[in-house]
């Protein structure tokens, strides 16, 4: 089916007669035409969210009513329109959506009219779950993670330990719901699902930026945490490594459908020595002993620098050193444990485990290339010696 259906035209005419400009715009943004909502209708609805005399509940309820349709096209476009307004509209809309007890109830949605309806219904159910989770995240954290201030003075980098450990799982849940959309490149076959995928792609970049900065902050605080906090932080970090793998698969789909790779973060897995060091520290707090680290991964760990990349006025990038090199066996770095006297022959030890002489291991945290159109994501580079 292409173009507006007779039903679409009649509905638009009815809204014109009743004088409801918002209802008419929503109707036109969610027609039966197999393409994404038109920009002019989205722009008008964004404008409406910024007008104080516009009823946000009425706008939201009108969008929710469109999801009651039996047509996968109408429902999908209603979700896309809602997502677009969440991203670019006034925050009043997000606040209202987050305050509702229920948002989208589409777990059983199925369009049986055609084979394409069966296929697209699966993605509608997944997409609605993500939007529900996005609203829930805002309700729990009172902030949109895709819009928060980033960088050295950003929200996630300056958050205290207790709040950080509560917030990172919320980001993880939202990212999980996003990555569960799971399309194959050969399933992105029409303008409707392609529009939804592009919005999800943009959210994934921004969401992971906040996630990444929160994990960096957590690792900086790890050796000053209490035992229970260390245990939670370690699980969060393990989950983070797994999400990096899933995000990489998601971005490969974006690459295959032609999204510029300059838009994607450059993901590099951390070496196992970092995870082993975190586990070793927790074990020492619990009075346990872990097996000796392998010879290949037993360097005396050292932080050499924490770098935040910022765009310069000329379009290039500059690096600002945040922390200087410090052994974990000293106390001048905030991640270092308390000092303890050790014999000269035991200098290369951590947690009672003899360490090999210093050797360099590189840990590149995810870094956005400077061509990213959605704004800079600070990167981190850690050297372990």
């Amino acid at each position: 089916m292409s173009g507006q259906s007779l039903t679409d035209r009649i509905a638009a005419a009815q809204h014109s007669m009743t004088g409801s400009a918002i209802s008419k715009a929503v109707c036109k943004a969610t027609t039966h035409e197999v393409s994404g909502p038109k920009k002019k209708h989205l722009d008008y609805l964004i404008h409406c969210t910024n007008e104080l005399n516009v009823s946000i509940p009425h706008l939201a309820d009108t969008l929710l009513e469109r999801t009651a349709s039996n047509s996968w096209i109408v429902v999908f476009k209603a979700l896309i329109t809602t997502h677009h307004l969440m991203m670019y509209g006034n925050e009043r809309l997000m606040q209202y959506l987050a305050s509702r007890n229920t948002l989208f109830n589409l777990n059983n949605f199925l369009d049986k009219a055609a084979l394409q309806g069966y296929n697209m219904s699966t993605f509608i159910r997944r997409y609605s779950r993500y939007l529900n989770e996005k609203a829930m995240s805002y309700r729990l954290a009172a902030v949109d993670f895709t819009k928060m201030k980033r960088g050295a003075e950003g929200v996630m980098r300056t958050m205290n330990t207790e709040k950080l450990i509560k917030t990172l799982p919320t980001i993880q849940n939202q990212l999980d719901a996003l990555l569960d959309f799971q399309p194959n490149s050969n399933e992105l076959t029409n303008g409707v699902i392609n529009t939804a995928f592009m919005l999800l792609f943009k959210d994934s970049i921004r969401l992971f930026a906040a996630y990444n900065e929160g994990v960096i902050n957590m690792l900086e605080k790890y050796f000053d945490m209490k035992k229970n906090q260390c245990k939670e932080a370690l699980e969060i970090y393990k989950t983070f490594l797994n999400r990096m793998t899933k995000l990489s698969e998601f971005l490969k789909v974006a690459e295959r459908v032609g999204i510029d790779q300059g838009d994607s973060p450059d993901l590099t897995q951390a070496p196992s020595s970092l995870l082993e060091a975190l586990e070793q520290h927790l074990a020492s707090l619990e009075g346990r002993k872990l097996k000796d680290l392998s010879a290949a991964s037993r360097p005396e760990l050292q932080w050499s620098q924490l770098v935040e990349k910022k765009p310069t006025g000329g379009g290039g990038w500059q690096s600002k050193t945040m922390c200087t090199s410090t052994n974990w066996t000293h106390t001048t770095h905030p991640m270092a444990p308390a000092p303890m006297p050790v014999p000269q022959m035991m200098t290369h030890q951590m947690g009672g485990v003899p360490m090999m002489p210093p050797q360099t291991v590189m840990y590149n945290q995810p870094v956005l290339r400077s061509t990213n159109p959605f704004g800079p994501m600070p990167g981190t580079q850690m050297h372990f010696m």
Side-chain angles (χ1 to χ4, degrees):
M1 182 183 298
S2 62
Q4 294 186 30
S5 68
L6 179 59
T7 303
D8 296 328
R9 297 179 186 277
I10 293 174
Q14 288 175 337
H15 293 310
S16 296
M17 293 176 63
T18 59
S20 178
I22 289 179
S23 297
K24 181 179 178 180
V26 169
C27 180
K28 285 184 171 292
T30 57
T31 63
H32 288 76
E33 188 174 2
V34 187
S35 62
K38 292 182 179 178
K39 184 177 182 299
K40 63 180 181 180
H41 303 311
L42 294 175
D43 288 345
Y44 175 76
L45 291 173
I46 290 173
H47 170 74
C48 289
T49 66
N50 291 306
E51 292 295 316
L52 296 179
N53 62 339
V54 169
S55 170
I56 294 298
H58 172 63
L59 171 57
D61 290 344
T62 304
L63 286 166
L64 291 172
E65 287 173 6
R66 295 297 280 174
T67 64
S69 171
N70 293 324
S71 167
W72 72 266
I73 305 172
V74 173
V75 175
F76 218 152
K77 291 171 77 168
L79 296 176
I80 291 170
T81 302
T82 304
H83 190 182
H84 191 90
L85 296 181
M86 283 179 161
M87 293 174 69
Y88 303 112
N90 191 284
E91 192 173 6
R92 293 189 303 151
L93 177 67
M94 177 64 91
Q95 291 171 345
Y96 175 74
L97 294 176
S99 70
R100 293 177 61 99
N101 291 328
T102 59
L103 191 54
F104 299 111
N105 186 18
L106 297 170
N107 291 335
N108 298 316
F109 178 81
L110 182 62
D111 183 346
K112 302 178 181 180
L115 178 60
Q116 190 176 32
Y118 274 95
N119 297 334
M120 292 297 106
S121 293
T122 299
F123 294 107
I124 285 173
R125 294 192 295 270
R126 295 173 182 173
Y127 194 25
S128 67
R129 282 196 292 270
Y130 169 68
L131 296 181
N132 286 341
E133 195 64 47
K134 184 178 175 76
M136 179 58 69
S137 293
Y138 188 93
R139 185 174 185 172
L140 294 174
V143 65
D144 186 341
F145 295 120
T146 65
K147 295 180 181 180
M148 61 170 40
K149 180 182 177 182
R150 300 202 294 268
E153 302 300 321
V155 176
M156 298 306 297
R157 289 299 300 272
T158 57
M159 191 173 288
N160 63 51
T161 300
E162 184 177 351
K163 188 173 182 181
L164 189 64
I165 289 177
K166 290 181 179 179
T167 302
L168 281 172
T170 303
I171 299 180
Q172 287 175 342
N173 290 338
Q174 185 177 337
L175 185 61
D176 284 345
L178 188 154
L179 297 177
D180 283 344
F181 192 70
Q182 288 184 323
N184 295 318
S185 55
N186 58 5
E187 292 173 314
L188 301 175
T189 55
N190 61 72
V192 180
I193 190 173
N194 289 351
T195 302
F197 183 75
M198 180 55 74
L199 293 177
L200 289 170
F201 172 79
K202 292 178 180 179
D203 263 11
S204 72
I205 299 296
R206 296 164 176 170
L207 189 58
F208 190 78
Y211 190 18
N212 185 58
E213 289 190 353
V215 170
I216 292 172
N217 186 13
M218 183 185 71
L219 292 177
E220 290 177 341
K221 292 176 165 59
Y222 184 80
F223 288 90
D224 292 326
M225 292 180 185
K226 300 175 183 178
K227 181 175 65 176
N228 289 340
Q229 291 176 329
C230 280
K231 188 178 297 184
E232 292 182 79
L234 182 60
E235 290 305 312
I236 289 172
Y237 181 67
K238 289 178 179 179
T239 304
F240 173 77
L241 296 179
N242 178 264
R243 296 308 176 274
M244 285 180 64
T245 302
K246 293 182 68 175
L247 178 63
S248 178
E249 293 299 319
F250 183 85
L251 297 180
K252 285 178 183 177
V253 176
E255 178 185 3
R256 287 194 286 268
V257 297
I259 295 177
D260 186 359
Q261 276 298 283
D263 298 347
S264 304
D266 184 13
L267 303 177
T268 303
Q269 280 284 5
S272 58
S273 56
L274 174 59
L275 179 59
E276 291 172 348
L278 300 178
E279 291 175 332
Q280 189 81 14
H281 177 70
L282 177 59
S284 68
L285 293 180
E286 295 178 334
R288 296 185 292 109
K289 287 187 177 181
L290 296 182
K291 295 174 63 178
D292 285 357
L293 305 182
S294 63
S297 61
R298 291 190 299 177
E300 184 176 354
L301 301 181
Q302 184 182 45
W303 286 75
S304 60
Q305 65 176 176
L306 203 55
V307 177
E308 179 189 12
K309 291 190 175 180
K310 294 183 177 180
T312 61
W317 290 72
Q318 64 180 16
S319 296
K320 176 184 176 184
T321 302
M322 308 290 292
C323 303
T324 54
S325 156
T326 307
N327 262 331
W328 284 2
T329 52
H330 301 291
T331 59
T332 52
H333 191 282
M335 288 185 64
M340 56 183 298
V342 292
Q344 183 63 34
M345 62 179 293
M346 300 295 283
T347 299
H348 299 300
Q349 284 201 4
M350 184 179 68
V353 180
M355 309 301 287
M356 294 291 288
Q359 49 185 294
T360 301
V361 179
M362 297 296 295
Y363 172 26
N364 294 316
Q365 283 281 9
V367 178
L368 275 182
R369 299 185 181 89
S370 58
T371 52
N372 173 39
F374 310 124
M377 181 195 299
T380 301
Q381 201 173 55
M382 304 177 190
H383 299 249
F384 295 95
M385 304 281 282

